[in-house]
Amino acid sequence: MPRLRQGKRLPLRKSLLGRLLAVSALVAACSVAATAWLAVQTTSGAIKQEQGQNLADDARIYQTLLGHAATHLRWDGVDGTVRDLARQTGRRIALTTPQRQLLADSATQSSPPALPPQASAIVDPLSADTALASAGQQSSGAAADRIDPRAVGPFRLPAAERDRLRESADRGVECLRQYGIASDVVVSPSGRPRIQIVGNGVGRIEGTRCATDALDAPTATEKKALTALNQLANACLDRQELAHVQLNPDLSWTTKPAPSAQSAPTVRGPSDNDRAVASCVSAARREQLSSHVASPALLFIGDADSATVPGFDLSPANTARIAGAAALVLALTVGASVLAATRLVRPLHALTGAAQRMKDGQESSPVPVTADNEIGRLAAAFNDMSAHRARLEEQRKAMVSDVAHELRTPLSNIRGWLEAAQDGLADPDPAFVSSLLEEAMQLQHIIGDLQDLAQADAGALRLHPEPVRIEELLGQVAAAHQNLAETAGVTLTAPAGPPEGQVPAPALRADPVRLRQAVGNLVSNAVRHTPPGGGVTLRAYGSAAGCEVVVDVADTGSGIPAEDLAYVFDRFWRAEKSRSRRTGGSGLGLAIVRKLAEAHGGTAHVESTEGQGSVFTLRIPAAGPGGALTGNGMTTSTR
């Protein structure tokens, strides 16, 4: 790959800015050319208005005006709607009262022609024209009782109820989306939303936990309006000596006992009763809605004022207009592209410079994040990567320094004793050999710890899982470290059974050697930091859920300051900042404990109170079905 030199600007034809400009100019030119061609093709001749009445246009006009009447108390303000419809359809539209008093007229002449003797339709939302309603394409049409569904009157929900129901509907749609069911919120004319299932999700809502009861329950406004409607319907039924009914929100009904009457009710068949109830409900609806809709009006639809509309041709003036509009669009497109591309390329240049400085080993300052968009997020990710890389570099340098320090001390001691023996200053007696062996063992211990950590980091730490009795393992660790504890004057115990209030440890499948190594490191660390007369206690028990084995190593030592708890499991970290070996240890033991716990799929944790002691806790997953061991990317094998 060719190497890009920092500071060298790319040619415009190869740069992102140049490509954006070329693409935007090409798109603008094609758009202007296509628009001009389409305009010329569709408007090259005079457009003549169709003659006669068109059923689709009539239905559209009727439905629009019917919707106005259903949602307004009066015909005030309908002039604009009438003129818009007349302009869109090319028809003359007039509205009058039943007494032929003019309400609105789209005719523009000072003396418009007289209206025909017969009206085209009667615009009454409480008695819709079924022929025009069925021909309409923009509305669901009138209901079976010929009342326009947009006439809702007192059933119209106030803003607070609409917002509350909309929130419930939105939550229902989001819940269904989590089950893979596509749905939309559809709002009725009264403002009540409902959830509409899309595609093949119909019928699957019953198997979900998505509650939609809040959308089905009537609101306070609907209850009040429904109660009033029920009273009107029952009053009508009383006049016919029929039993009262209870209306449901969907205007279906259930029969209830009729109030006591002096005369016995007339016995009618079920079909007669249903027709009578439906008739009363329809009459009650009209009575209830009559004060909420506009009064009936006569609709006249006729020919437009003029039969033709001026056309468009390719005259020199029109050609000049097209060319000017095209030039203006091209100029605006290029200007906007230059502005957008410049703002896009500037942060990319900053990112390129920062990456080049990082590659050359220079200290890279953070790239400014100017906006929360794709480029801004890229810059933020680059800054995070740069900071993470700097931290890793500092950790690498610190680790190299720590490893060199840890290896230098035993090697210096070995070299010093050997040079003394070579110069005849030291006698190679058993004590001399024992001292050299001790230093060599310390050196081997450090190298072994480093090898374990390297294998754990590479995910190559081999485990040999088998059933383990954790109480026996703790007893073995306590026995192995008993001499060390007695020498330090510390009491080391491993009581049988769980602590009071805890459950027994469940079955465990783990690598006993590695687990003993982890617990042994915790015990030796606890003994080293516990003064004479103190104690170290090993306990094992099960977690509250019974899915983990918990091992606690508690001591009564000096404790750990709160500010140091976050670094306890770091490599080469010691509480004594001077690296003194007075308390022993290489600073790798606790790091190995954490890696071994993670290799078993568990965790390592510490709680400490300065001056009172510490409790190191291992949590290892219990044996699952089949006794499988779930590790953290480590290699497992069966002995």
Side-chain angles (χ1 to χ4, degrees):
M1 293 179 60
R3 180 182 178 185
L4 296 177
R5 289 177 292 178
Q6 183 179 2
K8 182 179 179 181
R9 301 186 65 86
L10 290 172
L12 184 61
R13 60 184 178 84
K14 292 184 178 181
S15 66
L16 181 61
L17 175 61
R19 295 179 181 180
L20 285 174
L21 288 176
V23 171
S24 61
L26 178 62
V27 170
C30 294
S31 301
V32 170
T35 303
W37 178 84
L38 183 62
V40 170
Q41 292 296 320
T42 56
T43 61
S44 59
I47 303 175
K48 294 185 178 181
Q49 192 70 28
E50 294 183 356
Q51 301 296 318
Q53 182 178 7
N54 184 290
L55 180 60
D57 287 340
D58 291 352
R60 177 183 175 189
I61 295 169
Y62 177 80
Q63 286 291 339
T64 303
L65 296 177
L66 190 67
H68 181 94
T71 56
H72 294 77
L73 297 179
R74 290 177 294 276
W75 288 104
D76 298 345
V78 77
D79 301 78
T81 304
V82 168
R83 296 184 186 279
D84 288 341
L85 290 172
R87 184 172 59 254
Q88 294 168 9
T89 60
R91 312 296 298 279
R92 180 193 176 187
I93 304 171
L95 276 174
T96 70
T97 64
Q99 293 76 28
R100 293 214 168 211
Q101 294 179 355
L102 192 64
L103 296 174
D105 192 352
S106 65
T108 58
Q109 299 97 326
S110 57
S111 298
L115 296 174
Q118 185 69 29
S120 302
I122 299 176
V123 182
D124 183 2
L126 302 183
S127 181
D129 190 314
T130 55
L132 290 174
S134 61
Q137 300 296 323
Q138 294 182 352
S139 173
S140 59
D145 55 5
R146 298 179 61 187
I147 297 177
D148 189 271
R150 292 166 290 186
V152 294
F155 285 88
R156 186 177 305 279
L157 300 181
E161 293 181 353
R162 289 199 305 269
D163 295 342
R164 175 172 57 81
L165 292 175
R166 183 56 188 255
E167 291 176 359
S168 299
D170 290 341
R171 286 195 299 269
V173 169
E174 179 62 21
C175 178
L176 292 174
R177 185 186 65 79
Q178 297 177 1
Y179 284 92
I181 302 176
S183 58
D184 290 323
V185 176
V186 180
V187 182
S188 67
S190 66
R192 166 174 282 276
R194 63 181 178 88
I195 297 177
Q196 178 173 297
I197 307 301
V198 180
N200 59 3
V202 178
R204 294 168 51 195
I205 188 173
E206 291 80 6
T208 68
R209 297 182 180 179
C210 302
T212 58
D213 296 340
L215 296 178
D216 300 330
T219 65
T221 300
E222 292 172 328
K223 289 179 180 178
K224 181 178 179 181
L226 189 61
T227 300
L229 179 63
N230 214 146
Q231 293 174 352
L232 293 173
N234 287 333
C236 174
L237 293 174
D238 285 340
R239 290 191 293 271
Q240 302 182 43
E241 298 182 346
L242 293 176
H244 285 191
V245 295
Q246 180 63 48
L247 294 180
N248 300 318
D250 60 353
L251 298 186
S252 61
W253 62 81
T254 56
T255 304
K256 64 180 183 179
S260 59
Q262 295 180 355
S263 59
T266 303
V267 179
R268 303 185 184 181
S271 60
D272 292 335
N273 285 343
D274 289 343
R275 283 194 293 269
V277 171
S279 176
C280 282
V281 172
S282 178
R285 290 190 63 201
R286 289 188 176 89
E287 182 178 354
Q288 185 184 43
L289 295 175
S290 60
S291 60
H292 297 274
V293 299
S295 58
L298 300 180
L299 173 62
F300 298 89
I301 304 176
D303 295 335
D305 296 338
S306 59
T308 60
V309 177
F312 184 88
D313 55 26
L314 281 178
S315 62
N318 289 334
T319 303
R321 293 192 187 98
I322 294 176
L328 179 60
V329 171
L330 282 175
L332 292 176
T333 302
V334 172
S337 299
V338 170
L339 179 61
T342 302
R343 296 188 61 181
L344 176 66
V345 171
R346 187 182 298 116
L348 293 180
H349 285 323
L351 282 170
T352 302
Q356 186 67 37
R357 289 192 297 273
M358 184 184 297
K359 174 180 175 296
D360 295 339
Q362 303 175 12
E363 183 176 356
S364 178
S365 57
V367 176
V369 180
T370 58
D372 184 17
N373 51 27
E374 289 81 357
I375 300 298
R377 295 180 181 181
L378 175 61
F382 179 86
N383 292 336
D384 292 341
M385 179 193 69
S386 178
H388 181 65
R389 178 180 177 274
R391 288 194 300 269
L392 290 179
E393 183 66 16
E394 292 297 327
Q395 293 175 0
R396 183 189 67 80
K397 292 178 181 179
M399 184 173 179
V400 171
S401 176
D402 289 336
V403 170
H405 176 83
E406 296 298 335
L407 296 180
R408 183 185 302 113
T409 301
L411 285 175
S412 298
N413 291 339
I414 293 174
R415 176 181 176 182
W417 282 108
L418 291 177
E419 287 178 349
Q422 185 179 30
D423 295 339
L425 300 178
D427 186 15
D429 54 9
F432 176 86
V433 175
S434 177
S435 176
L436 292 181
L437 180 60
E438 181 181 354
E439 294 294 339
M441 292 294 292
Q442 177 67 19
L443 187 61
Q444 184 179 8
H445 178 68
I446 295 174
I447 294 174
D449 287 347
L450 289 172
Q451 185 178 11
D452 288 344
L453 287 174
Q455 290 179 346
D457 289 338
L461 187 62
R462 181 170 292 275
L463 300 179
H464 302 279
E466 61 182 57
V468 174
R469 298 192 55 160
I470 190 63
E471 294 83 0
E472 293 182 359
L473 187 142
L474 295 185
Q476 295 170 3
V477 173
H481 290 78
Q482 196 64 47
N483 290 336
L484 176 64
E486 291 176 355
T487 302
V490 175
T491 302
L492 176 60
T493 58
E500 183 178 356
Q502 301 292 345
V503 298
L508 178 63
R509 183 174 174 83
D511 187 328
V513 176
R514 291 298 188 182
L515 194 54
R516 276 196 298 270
Q517 180 183 1
V519 179
N521 285 357
L522 293 178
V523 172
S524 61
N525 180 75
V527 170
R528 283 197 304 270
H529 292 86
T530 301
V536 176
T537 304
L538 282 70
R539 287 291 183 96
Y541 53 92
S543 62
C547 59
E548 290 180 326
V549 175
V550 183
V551 177
D552 283 346
V553 178
D555 63 65
T556 59
S558 56
I560 304 170
E563 63 271 13
D564 291 339
L565 286 177
Y567 309 102
V568 167
F569 292 100
D570 290 352
R571 301 172 188 182
F572 297 107
W573 183 87
R574 294 196 192 92
E576 294 144 347
K577 304 301 186 289
S578 61
R579 298 179 181 268
S580 171
R581 290 186 175 275
R582 180 174 55 81
T583 58
S586 62
L588 297 174
L590 295 182
I592 292 176
V593 169
R594 181 173 62 180
K595 287 295 184 181
L596 292 178
E598 293 173 352
H600 285 83
T603 59
H605 178 67
V606 60
E607 293 182 358
S608 181
T609 302
E610 192 171 6
Q612 297 182 15
S614 305
V615 178
F616 285 81
T617 301
L618 295 180
R619 290 183 175 270
I620 308 297
L629 175 65
T630 57
N632 188 18
M634 305 302 173
T635 304
T636 61
S637 63
T638 305
R639 291 183 184 273

